[in-house]
Amino acid sequence: MRERGSDGPVIGITASPRTTVVADRELRTEAVTEFYVQTLVQAGAVPVILPVHGPLSEAVLDWLDAVALTGGGDIDPTLYGQEPRPELYGLDSVRDRFEIDLVRKAIDRDLPLMAICRGHQVLNVALGGTLVQDLEAQRPNSLAHRQAEAWEEPSHSVTIEPHSRLADLVGPELVVNSMHHQAIDKPAPDLRPVARAADGVIEAVEATDRLFVLGLQWHPEYLGADHRGFALVKAFVDAARNSQR
Ligand code: MN
C-alpha cells in the first residue's frame, strides 16, 4: 500500500495512440492532449497516462484512485453486434479491448470513472449498450454535433434530468461543445441517460448504484475551469479523493 500524501488523488487517463514524427521518423505514440492533464490538475488531481496498447495490470488499478477515459476514434461495431458502416474512422481494436476491460474492472472495484466523448461511448458498450454509428447518415435531422466553432466554444445546449447527480452539480441546463459523429443509441441497463440535446441525442449518462460513474458526450477539458461544467470535473476529483484507501 502506497503512502497517501497531500498531492491529491491519482487519476489514470487513457492514452489515445497516434503517430508522431520524431527526427524524421514516424513513431507510434501513446499520448493525451495536455487539456486533460491541465483540467485534472486544476481540479486538484495527479494524472498519470495509461498506455492502451500495453497490459492492464491489477497492480496499476490498486494504485489508482480513479479513471478517466478520453476521446478518440470509433469503437468496432462488432463489439455491440452491428456491421460496420462506411462512415467509421479511427478503429483500434487493441484500444477497444483495453478500455472495455478497464471500465468493467473499475466498476467492479467501484473506482470513480469519468468517461469523455469516445469514453462515454466505450462505457456504454462495455456495459451492454449500443451506438448510433453515424448521426449524419442514420439520424439526418440531428443537430450539428460536429461543431464548426473552436473546440473551446460551447455550441449546443443539453437539458438535464431532474434528480440526477448532473442536475445537482450544474442545474437543469448546460451549453456544451460537440465534436462527435456517433452517439449512444440503446443505453446499457445500468446506465441512466441524464442529459439530452434538443434533437434527443443522449449527451450524458450516470450509473446510479456506484460512487461516481459519469459519461459525457462533450469535452469538458476544452471548456476550462470557468465553464459551469467544470463542477463535474471537481466532483469527479472529489470522489477520487474520497475513494483513496
Ligand atoms: Mn453533441
Side-chain angles (χ1 to χ4, degrees):
M1 189 68 67
R2 77 189 153 89
E3 196 68 33
R4 298 284 167 173
S6 54
D7 288 344
V10 178
I11 298 186
I13 315 176
T14 57
S16 191
R18 64 200 68 188
T19 302
T20 313
V21 177
V22 180
D24 293 333
R25 287 188 58 193
E26 287 195 351
L27 300 177
R28 292 284 289 163
T29 309
E30 299 254 10
V32 300
T33 62
E34 288 189 1
F35 286 94
Y36 291 107
V37 174
Q38 285 156 2
T39 299
L40 287 171
V41 168
Q42 279 180 301
V46 178
V48 296
I49 298 174
L50 304 177
V52 297
H53 288 179
L56 175 56
S57 141
E58 296 289 337
V60 169
L61 286 170
D62 288 346
W63 181 70
L64 295 176
D65 299 311
V67 171
L69 269 73
T70 57
D74 295 336
I75 300 152
D76 181 354
T78 60
L79 293 168
Y80 49 91
Q82 292 183 14
E83 289 295 316
R85 291 186 56 93
E87 299 85 3
L88 291 181
Y89 75 92
L91 297 187
D92 180 343
S93 60
V94 177
R95 182 181 183 187
D96 289 346
R97 272 200 303 277
F98 180 95
E99 289 187 324
I100 285 172
D101 196 22
L102 177 63
V103 164
R104 292 177 180 159
K105 286 179 169 157
I107 284 179
D108 279 350
R109 288 167 175 253
D110 207 3
L111 276 179
L113 183 68
M114 176 172 259
I116 294 170
C117 199
R118 166 193 158 88
H120 158 86
Q121 297 163 5
V122 168
L123 168 65
N124 188 52
V125 171
L127 301 183
T130 67
L131 304 180
V132 179
Q133 292 188 42
D134 185 74
L135 285 168
E136 283 142 44
Q138 295 176 275
R139 294 194 190 173
N141 296 322
S142 55
L143 297 171
H145 288 279
R146 275 198 269 218
Q147 69 182 47
E149 295 87 345
W151 292 357
E152 291 87 346
E153 299 295 323
S155 71
H156 73 64
S157 68
V158 298
T159 302
I160 297 171
E161 285 290 311
H163 312 296
S164 62
R165 182 194 303 275
L166 207 59
D168 289 346
L169 291 166
V170 298
E173 199 188 323
L174 193 64
V175 187
V176 299
N177 55 10
S178 194
M179 294 89 88
H180 58 108
H181 78 114
Q182 301 198 319
I184 289 180
D185 186 10
K186 182 168 148 289
D190 290 339
L191 293 176
R192 176 188 175 204
V194 290
R196 287 180 191 269
D199 55 9
V201 165
I202 296 171
E203 291 272 344
V205 291
E206 295 179 1
T208 47
D209 63 340
R210 295 285 139 184
L211 189 61
F212 190 103
V213 173
L214 183 63
L216 302 176
Q217 185 57 76
W218 66 90
H219 280 270
E221 79 279 12
Y222 288 111
L223 295 171
D226 295 333
H227 186 258
R228 203 148 44 82
F230 187 64
L232 302 171
V233 181
K234 283 208 330 219
F236 168 56
V237 173
D238 288 345
R241 191 177 289 111
N242 294 335
S243 83
Q244 282 185 331
R245 287 135 298 182

